[in-house]
């Protein structure tokens, strides 16, 4: 299940991509399939080991085109182990809401992104996320949990302050918002509640089968209750005199 829309965020074979805070690796895997040179970085050692295993399995299965590369590594988003201007593309999906120093993370992403490079940032959308916080303290008051809710204009202002130029936004995963509302209402750790189990089965069916009806429904509902807000931006080239 991808949050970044690659029809709005073009990726060329050979692009050097950083998936920052890659988690289980969903965007890193898609970039690898598209022929990129991918670095998936996360502070969670267990998830990084799992991502590395999947990279190896994809290579063995021939899922990645010739020339594509993939590396999984532990790292600190506030102190990236890469030189300036290292990547053509940076993706950070559902991460910034966890990090106190979000300006520091943005500064590091801008530092390692090449001039003219592209960045995709996704965060929980304000409205659906606010409902989750209202329904359940346990949803966000956990170690490593969400510490803020971004409004769209707030995130875009942060992006501009970091020196990036936004060029597009959209919302995603409308069908997932009700699932998290149910989780919060019945208990975030209570997977046995009938409404939660029933809706989870619906989501799994939708992800596996991709029926036209739910695809159309989600597209119509995304502007209203999409769970994620997605922003795309570029890093401007320096003026010739400054360069």
């Amino acid at each position: 299940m991808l949050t970044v829309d690659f029809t709005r965020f073009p990726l060329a074979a050979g692009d050097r991509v950083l998936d920052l805070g890659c988690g289980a690796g969903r965007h890193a895997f898609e970039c690898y399939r598209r022929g990129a040179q991918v670095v998936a970085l996360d502070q969670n050692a267990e998830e990084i080991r799992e991502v590395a295993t999947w990279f190896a399995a994809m290579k063995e299965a021939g899922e990645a085109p010739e020339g594509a590369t993939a590396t999984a590594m532990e790292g600190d988003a506030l102190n990236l182990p890469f030189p300036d201007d290292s990547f053509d593309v940076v993706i950070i999906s559902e991460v910034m809401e966890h990090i106190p120093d979000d300006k520091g993370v943005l500064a590091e992403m801008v530092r390692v992104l090449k001039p003219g490079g592209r960045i995709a940032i996704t965060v929980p959308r304000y409205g659906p996320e606010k409902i989750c916080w209202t329904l359940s303290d346990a949803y966000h008051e956990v170690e490593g949990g969400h510490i803020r809710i971004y409004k769209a204009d707030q995130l875009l202002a942060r992006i501009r302050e970091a020196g990036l130029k936004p060029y597009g936004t959209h919302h995603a995963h409308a069908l997932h918002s009700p699932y998290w509302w149910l989780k919060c209402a019945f208990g975030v750790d209570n997977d046995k509640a009938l409404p939660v189990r029933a809706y989870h089965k619906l989501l799994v069916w939708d992800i596996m089968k991709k029926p036209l009806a739910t695809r159309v429904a989600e597209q119509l509902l995304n502007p209203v209750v999409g769970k994620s807000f997605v922003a795309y931006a570029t890093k401007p080239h320096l003026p010739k005199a400054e360069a």
Side-chain angles (χ1 to χ4, degrees), residues 123-129 149-150 171 222-229:
V123 297
R125 184 184 187 176
Y126 183 84
E129 182 77 350
I149 309 176
Y150 287 102
H171 300 97
N222 274 337
V224 183
V225 292
K227 183 75 170 67
S228 294
F229 174 70

Side-chain angles (χ1 to χ4, degrees), residues 61-78:
E63 291 188 35
E66 186 176 353
T69 62
T71 302
M73 61 185 295
E74 289 183 65
D76 180 358
L78 289 164

Side-chain angles (χ1 to χ4, degrees), residues 203-238:
L203 290 179
V204 172
W205 172 78
D206 175 58
I207 291 169
M208 298 300 294
K209 300 296 184 181
K210 297 181 174 64
L212 179 61
T214 55
R215 294 301 89 209
V216 172
E218 185 156 74
Q219 287 179 6
L220 293 174
L221 290 170
N222 274 337
V224 183
V225 292
K227 183 75 170 67
S228 294
F229 174 70
V230 188
Y232 305 106
T234 58
K235 179 178 177 178
H237 288 277
L238 291 172

Side-chain angles (χ1 to χ4, degrees), residues 96-174:
M96 287 182 57
E97 67 276 7
H98 295 271
I99 301 177
D101 186 7
D102 58 345
K103 291 184 178 181
V105 173
L106 274 167
E108 272 294 86
M109 290 190 289
V110 171
R111 181 183 68 77
V112 302
L113 186 65
K114 296 177 182 178
R118 304 171 304 285
I119 189 166
I121 300 173
T122 91
V123 297
R125 184 184 187 176
Y126 183 84
E129 182 77 350
K130 188 69 173 178
I131 293 173
C132 289
W133 283 45
T134 300
L135 289 171
S136 171
D137 289 338
Y139 171 78
H140 63 96
E141 290 182 356
V142 295
E143 184 178 356
H146 298 183
I147 63 170
R148 71 174 66 83
I149 309 176
Y150 287 102
K151 291 184 177 180
D153 57 355
Q154 179 189 16
L155 180 61
L156 291 172
R158 288 270 200 279
I159 291 170
R160 293 187 180 98
E161 288 168 6
L164 297 167
K165 183 178 180 181
Y167 70 84
T169 64
H170 65 90
H171 300 97
H173 308 318

